[in-house]
Amino acid sequence: MSIETSPASTPVWHHIDDAECRRFQSSVELVGKRWSSGILLAVAQGSSRFSEIVATVTGLSDRLASQRLKELEQAGLVHREVIATTPVQIHYSLTDRGADLMKSLQPLVSWGQRWAR
Amino acid sequence: MSIETSPASTPVWHHIDDAECRRFQSSVELVGKRWSSGILLAVAQGSSRFSEIVATVTGLSDRLASQRLKELEQAGLVHREVIATTPVQIHYSLTDRGADLMKSLQPLVSWGQRWAR
DNA sequence: CTGGATCCCTATCGATACTG
DNA sequence: CAGTATCGATAGGGATCCAG
């Protein structure tokens, strides 16, 4: 699956693979869910504790933070580590997969810059 | 706003700009909405007529196609052209901005390939 | 501190029917 | 052909309270 734009021409579709298409779609839908990108950015930034993430992402509630983190963990993007202190500490971090995703999202950031109004 | 991963280390946050962050978030949320990516891919592929898009994107209904296309048009990603024939024909195409978006999404496709299970 | 459970409200969806 | 209108069902979200 790839898309190319030749100069002064229309985009061209080169190859479609259904499974790949679904993977792409589910990825972009997860990341596109409300708060997901904010949480990923916060974690990428260095926020590791639950309350830290909630504080970093403006407007994010406990409930949604919990829910999204669970989804992101299930998707293998975020790693959850329990540290047996009292009280218990939880550390969140990006998995390799998650970190690679963030790098793959960088062109999208640049796109936003290029076309800023 | 940029994210980097140094070898064998954790991702590093270099710079945050709130406006840029919101732009990024709203972009990814629009593209991440159900059917959006499918529609964009269909149009990038060459589907230009309304019914063609609906037929190309499996499971997409008239109503949602209409709604998403309106959103994508408002976001400046898709161009809608009315051709005064009888009956009237509508042609959809990617704007330059939309085509550039699709190119910026390519690393995400590659990411999906790299981490396919 | 890190969430889980509940309530309740709104947005969104799919299906169906209809129009210029 | 290219949508719009309407409706009931469902999912998502905020607020609040509670627990290990």
Side-chain angles (χ1 to χ4, degrees):
Chain A
M1 177 165 140
S2 72
I3 303 159
E4 273 180 23
T5 308
S6 17
S9 118
T10 53
V12 176
W13 184 259
H14 280 290
H15 184 63
I16 304 182
D17 177 283
D18 277 336
E20 197 182 345
C21 225
R22 279 194 303 272
R23 263 205 310 278
F24 171 73
Q25 179 139 351
S26 59
S27 306
V28 76
E29 282 182 5
L30 173 58
V31 176
K33 267 192 163 182
R34 199 167 189 194
W35 308 117
S36 288
S37 63
I39 291 174
L40 286 172
L41 290 171
V43 175
Q45 210 183 133
S47 296
S48 59
R49 307 291 302 278
F50 182 82
S51 48
E52 201 178 350
I53 295 169
V54 171
T56 302
V57 182
T58 312
L60 176 60
S61 70
D62 288 10
R63 196 180 72 81
L64 270 288
S66 172
Q67 188 173 310
R68 284 293 173 274
L69 281 167
K70 208 178 292 175
E71 292 167 3
L72 295 171
E73 192 192 351
Q74 277 213 313
L77 303 177
V78 162
H79 175 66
R80 182 179 186 270
E81 189 182 358
V82 180
I83 302 183
T85 54
T86 42
V88 138
Q89 286 190 6
I90 313 284
H91 278 238
Y92 290 98
S93 56
L94 291 184
T95 60
D96 289 346
R97 181 181 169 135
D100 190 33
L101 172 66
M102 294 311 281
K103 288 204 295 185
S104 305
L105 247 30
Q106 181 59 50
L108 203 52
V109 175
S110 306
W111 173 86
Q113 275 185 301
R114 264 199 302 285
W115 297 89
R117 339 156 186 246
Chain B
M1 179 165 137
S2 72
I3 302 161
E4 274 182 21
T5 308
S6 18
S9 117
T10 53
V12 177
W13 184 261
H14 280 289
H15 185 65
I16 303 181
D17 177 281
D18 278 335
E20 198 182 345
C21 224
R22 279 195 301 272
R23 264 204 312 276
F24 171 74
Q25 181 139 350
S26 60
S27 307
V28 75
E29 281 183 7
L30 174 59
V31 176
K33 266 192 165 182
R34 200 169 189 189
W35 307 118
S36 288
S37 63
I39 292 173
L40 285 172
L41 289 170
V43 175
Q45 210 183 133
S47 295
S48 59
R49 309 291 300 277
F50 182 84
S51 49
E52 200 179 350
I53 295 170
V54 171
T56 302
V57 182
T58 312
L60 177 61
S61 69
D62 288 11
R63 197 179 69 83
L64 270 288
S66 171
Q67 188 173 311
R68 284 291 173 276
L69 281 166
K70 211 176 291 176
E71 293 166 2
L72 295 170
E73 191 192 351
Q74 276 213 314
L77 303 177
V78 162
H79 175 67
R80 181 178 185 273
E81 190 181 359
V82 180
I83 301 183
T85 54
T86 42
V88 138
Q89 286 190 5
I90 312 285
H91 278 236
Y92 290 98
S93 55
L94 292 185
T95 59
D96 289 346
R97 182 182 170 134
D100 190 33
L101 173 65
M102 295 311 281
K103 287 204 295 183
S104 305
L105 248 27
Q106 182 60 49
L108 204 51
V109 175
S110 306
W111 173 86
Q113 275 186 300
R114 266 200 302 285
W115 298 89
R117 346 169 174 239

